């Protein structure tokens, strides 16, 4: 324990996309049936707000902790089969962001948290959902391989780290006392699976 000061700011990050896609599937009778399923909805609602807080040692000014919060599911490497009975396991986007910040600032601790992600997935991930080119029905595919999983995680973490670093460039740790308070708020999404 030591005296510390904190600063926080918000920015924007573009790694999330609404996963509620409208499909129009041709059934066996030749009738088009609308449905909503997993996919990619560029028009769908997404909260792009990125919260970044930094805690500095009050005496030295060196960063001792980071807190980041963003609404996206940590599933860039989810459902990956690396073959030979192996699966890709890792901290995904949040783990990579935290590990990188801790490496850049030795002795610090970085915490990544997910804001209410609802129907928000990463724009790039192992699992991909799309309309069948012939019938329009939802198709789900998973890209296999350790390199594919690692590439997706690194791409999403790298993009988020660029946004975090932008926040850190303009963040000043000037708060030495802070009231702790909170509230519970409920939201309703317009579509769900």
């Amino acid at each position: 324990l030591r005296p510390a000061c904190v600063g926080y700011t918000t920015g924007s990050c573009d790694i999330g996309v609404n996963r509620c896609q409208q499909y129009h599937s041709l059934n066996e009778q030749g009738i088009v049936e609308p449905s909503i399923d997993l996919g990619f909805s560029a028009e769908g609602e997404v909260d792009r707000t990125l919260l970044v807080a930094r805690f500095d040692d009050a005496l030295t000014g060196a960063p001792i902790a980071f807190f980041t919060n963003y609404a996206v599911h940590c599933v860039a490497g989810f459902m990956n089969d690396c073959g030979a009975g192996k699966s890709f396991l890792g901290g995904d986007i949040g783990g990579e962001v935290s590990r990188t910040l801790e490496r850049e600032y030795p002795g610090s601790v970085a915490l990544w948290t997910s804001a209410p992600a609802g129907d928000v997935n990463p724009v790039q991930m192992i699992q991909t959902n799309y309309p069948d080119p012939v019938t329009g029905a939802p198709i789900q595919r998973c890209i296999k391989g350790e390199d594919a999983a690692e590439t997706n995680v690194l791409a999403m973490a790298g993009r988020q780290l660029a946004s975090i670093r932008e926040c850190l460039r303009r963040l000043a740790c000037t708060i030495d006392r802070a009231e702790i308070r909170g509230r519970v708020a409920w939201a309703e999404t317009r579509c769900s699976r």
Side-chain angles (χ1 to χ4, degrees), residues 99-181:
R99 181 177 35 225
T100 301
L101 286 171
E102 290 173 355
R103 206 173 323 158
E104 286 179 21
Y105 300 92
S108 71
V109 174
L111 175 64
W112 185 98
T113 61
S114 177
D119 288 317
V120 182
N121 276 347
V123 295
Q124 185 175 332
M125 54 193 282
I126 293 298
Q127 177 186 330
T128 185
N129 299 274
Y130 58 91
D132 180 283
V134 176
T135 67
I139 292 180
Q140 180 182 85
R141 301 279 305 269
C142 293
I143 303 167
K144 295 182 180 183
E146 193 171 339
D147 288 342
E150 185 176 0
T151 297
N152 280 292
V153 169
L154 290 175
M156 294 296 90
R159 289 180 176 145
Q160 185 159 65
L161 281 159
S163 298
I164 289 169
R165 289 183 185 114
E166 180 60 34
C167 288
L168 290 173
R169 279 192 276 283
R170 55 186 167 76
L171 191 146
C173 292
T174 57
I175 303 167
D176 60 1
R177 295 200 186 280
E179 178 186 336
I180 298 176
R181 63 178 181 231

Side-chain angles (χ1 to χ4, degrees), residues 10-137:
T10 58
S12 182
C13 185
D14 294 330
I15 67 167
V17 65
N18 190 296
R19 66 183 183 180
C20 293
Q21 182 166 345
Q22 180 77 38
Y23 290 89
H24 294 90
S25 307
L26 190 61
N27 68 19
E28 293 176 5
Q29 291 78 31
I31 299 169
V32 174
E33 296 177 340
S35 65
I36 295 176
D37 207 324
L38 291 177
F40 191 101
S41 175
E43 308 82 35
E45 293 182 35
V46 175
D47 182 357
R48 302 198 182 285
T49 305
L50 171 68
L51 171 70
V52 177
R54 187 180 77 219
F55 298 83
D56 288 351
D57 184 304
L59 301 175
T60 68
I64 55 177
F66 298 90
F67 174 82
T68 57
N69 184 265
Y70 182 72
V72 70
H73 292 118
C74 259
V75 293
F78 178 65
M79 294 182 70
N80 188 53
D81 174 0
C82 296
K86 296 182 349 183
S87 291
F88 177 83
L89 296 175
D92 216 280
I93 300 165
E96 189 61 35
V97 166
S98 294
R99 181 177 35 225
T100 301
L101 286 171
E102 290 173 355
R103 206 173 323 158
E104 286 179 21
Y105 300 92
S108 71
V109 174
L111 175 64
W112 185 98
T113 61
S114 177
D119 288 317
V120 182
N121 276 347
V123 295
Q124 185 175 332
M125 54 193 282
I126 293 298
Q127 177 186 330
T128 185
N129 299 274
Y130 58 91
D132 180 283
V134 176
T135 67

